Amino acid sequence: MGPHTPLLVLFLLSLPKSLQGQQHHLVEYMERRLAALEERLAQCQDQSSRHAAELRDFKNKMLPLLEAAEKERETLRSEADSIAGRVDRLEREVDYLETQNPVPPCIEVDEKAAGGPGTKAKGRRNEKYDLVTECSHTISQVKSMKILKRFGSSAGMWTKDPLGPSEKIFVLDGTQNDTAYVFPRLRDFTLSTAARKASRVRLPFPWVGTGQLVYGGFLYYARRPPGGPGGGEDRGDMLQLIKFHLANRTVVDSSVFPAEGLIPPYGLSKDTYIDLAADEEGLWAVYATQDDDRHLCLAKLDPQTLDTEQQWDTTCPRENAEAAFVICGALYVVYNTRPASRARVQCSFDASGALTPEQAAHPYFPRRYGAHASLRYNPRERQLYAWDDGYQIVYKLDMKRKEEEV
């Protein structure tokens, strides 16, 4: 009999005698049920004790493994830091060696500009450019890099208006699109909810490539007009320049770019046929034609009328070129490799002749993600706005004065 039997007996004795006999079977049933419950409770206690012991054993076995894993993680972290330090030192040594052994200057440019023997001018251009400002500096090195965020596709363009009083940020995503994003300021663009802060400007014609430019309150961009001669989606034989008023959202002017047989100027950027640039001197265009499919051409544009004022043939190669920018009338071309590596300014051409190829610096850009789809120089801030594989980057530049020609 179980421990609760006395209580049941007392309870039954208190009942009338006529009911005591009928409750006898009930007592036996309740005792059996209570005994079964007590047995199951004991089994649960045994299982709980066994599980607790197994858990303690597992914990004792895992603690040494966790300690070993933590030590291994610290070792790997230390090795990774050491490797990163060695890579940084190697890059500094490479930069130093490059300064001691600079890239051979573009001698061909000097010979043609000087009209040396055996050379022949390429017709209608290559006159010396007369500076309209007192600009006399050139790039010395890329001082620092700041990655703002990742926005949009792998190719695009973002910039500020170098002549505008506002701090607006203009973003044109993709190589063929008709909607520009305008952010009130840089801080709004860096937010995770940036798209909500932006206003959208619908353009009357889609742009081609990533050569767009915001300058003096206008958006300048290239479009492929319908029914161009020889046309073709890949040849880009004819392109039209559009001057779009950003405030009024109207086309102010347009002009067919006066060059036949346009081809992409950058070997690593197949979608861009005209790359527009701005510097202290005004508006420029970088392009290439089938007449000389190995080298870049440079043109000075009138920002009011889109007329081409002067043109130059340079010997900066198209092969492995990824982007370019203009500072004080000098073109700086950035090169890379098809498997993206460290980009470098490797060729320069000064339309004014104040900076010779021997005097020009050829700095490296810091390590990044891929290749530049666009570079926009801001002469007021002296920094570059870069689009690199969907990442928006700001490069601060160190400048030096151009040396006087001997």
Side-chain angles (χ1 to χ4, degrees):
M1 299 181 65
H4 303 286
T5 302
L7 295 176
L8 292 174
V9 171
L10 292 175
F11 173 72
L12 293 175
L13 290 177
S14 63
L15 295 174
K17 292 183 179 181
S18 58
L19 297 176
Q20 291 180 5
Q22 298 176 6
Q23 300 300 326
H24 179 71
H25 297 292
L26 178 62
V27 171
E28 292 180 352
Y29 171 76
M30 294 180 67
E31 286 182 346
R32 289 194 301 270
R33 294 288 296 173
L34 289 173
L37 290 173
E38 290 174 350
E39 184 178 356
R40 292 177 62 185
L41 180 60
Q43 292 177 355
C44 289
Q45 290 177 345
D46 292 341
Q47 292 178 357
S48 177
S49 299
R50 186 168 60 254
H51 292 331
E54 292 176 353
L55 183 60
R56 283 194 300 271
D57 293 341
F58 178 76
K59 182 179 178 181
N60 292 334
K61 292 179 180 179
M62 289 301 298
L63 283 176
L65 297 177
L66 291 174
E67 292 176 357
E70 183 66 23
K71 291 179 180 179
E72 184 69 18
R73 186 168 70 92
E74 292 297 329
T75 301
L76 292 175
R77 179 184 297 175
S78 177
E79 292 178 355
D81 293 341
S82 176
I83 293 173
R86 284 185 287 177
V87 169
D88 291 337
R89 286 196 299 272
L90 179 60
E91 289 182 347
R92 289 194 296 269
E93 291 173 359
V94 169
D95 291 342
Y96 173 77
L97 291 175
E98 289 293 341
T99 59
Q100 300 303 310
N101 300 280
V103 174
C106 299
I107 301 299
E108 185 182 351
V109 175
D110 290 346
E111 291 176 350
K112 290 185 177 181
T119 63
K120 182 179 179 180
K122 294 186 178 179
R124 78 181 194 277
R125 45 186 184 261
N126 295 331
E127 301 90 353
K128 181 177 178 180
Y129 174 74
D130 294 324
L131 295 172
V132 297
T133 68
E134 296 181 355
C135 183
S136 61
H137 55 267
T138 179
I139 184 174
S140 173
Q141 65 175 344
V142 179
K143 182 179 180 181
S144 64
M145 173 184 72
K146 184 176 182 180
I147 302 173
L148 271 299
K149 65 178 305 174
R150 186 170 191 177
F151 181 92
S153 58
S154 59
M157 187 281 299
W158 77 295
T159 187
K160 280 185 182 179
D161 187 345
L163 299 183
S166 71
E167 294 297 316
K168 290 183 178 180
I169 298 295
F170 301 88
V171 179
L172 280 71
D173 180 27
T175 58
Q176 292 189 25
N177 206 335
D178 62 356
T179 302
Y181 295 90
V182 183
F183 297 86
R185 60 187 64 85
L186 184 62
R187 182 175 179 274
D188 296 318
F189 177 59
T190 59
L191 297 176
S192 59
T193 56
R196 301 178 186 175
K197 298 285 185 179
S199 59
R200 290 169 172 79
V201 178
R202 185 73 177 270
L203 305 179
F205 313 106
W207 64 75
V208 176
T210 59
Q212 308 85 11
L213 179 71
V214 176
Y215 186 75
F218 298 94
L219 171 64
Y220 297 84
Y221 69 96
R223 70 173 288 243
R224 182 174 289 110
E233 188 72 16
D234 297 328
R235 292 180 61 191
D237 288 329
M238 176 185 293
L239 286 182
Q240 184 180 24
L241 295 181
I242 303 295
K243 182 180 179 181
F244 180 79
H245 198 295
L246 287 166
N248 299 338
R249 302 194 178 188
T250 57
V251 174
V252 177
D253 206 347
S254 64
S255 174
V256 175
F257 191 74
E260 297 180 356
L262 288 172
I263 57 176
Y266 309 129
L268 300 183
S269 301
K270 299 298 186 181
D271 297 309
T272 299
Y273 290 85
I274 298 178
D275 192 16
L276 300 175
D279 71 343
E280 295 81 357
E281 293 291 302
L283 187 62
W284 304 80
V286 183
Y287 65 101
T289 67
Q290 295 175 356
D291 290 340
D292 182 2
D293 59 0
R294 295 176 53 197
H295 303 102
L296 302 181
C297 297
L298 179 67
K300 182 70 173 63
L301 305 181
D302 184 342
Q304 299 300 323
T305 63
L306 297 179
D307 291 338
T308 301
E309 297 176 345
Q310 286 183 256
Q311 293 175 298
W312 296 266
D313 298 314
T314 79
T315 52
C316 290
R318 292 179 57 241
E319 185 178 3
N320 291 330
E322 66 174 17
F325 54 93
V326 180
I327 299 177
C328 286
L331 173 69
Y332 300 87
V333 186
V334 180
Y335 293 85
N336 207 317
T337 56
R338 204 161 289 279
S341 179
R342 292 188 68 197
R344 182 187 185 184
V345 175
Q346 199 165 327
C347 185
S348 59
F349 172 81
D350 192 347
S352 69
L355 179 70
T356 64
E358 295 87 348
Q359 297 167 344
H362 297 99
Y364 276 106
F365 284 81
R367 288 175 298 172
R368 308 169 336 280
Y369 298 95
H372 292 117
S374 63
L375 288 170
R376 291 293 170 268
Y377 172 65
N378 188 303
R380 183 173 56 183
E381 301 172 340
R382 292 191 175 180
Q383 59 186 17
L384 295 171
Y385 289 81
W387 191 293
D388 174 18
D389 197 22
Y391 290 88
Q392 290 71 49
I393 301 174
V394 174
Y395 295 109
K396 290 189 178 296
L397 304 178
D398 270 346
M399 299 294 188
K400 64 180 181 180
R401 290 184 62 84
K402 295 180 181 179
E403 298 180 13
E404 296 295 334
E405 289 186 297
V406 180

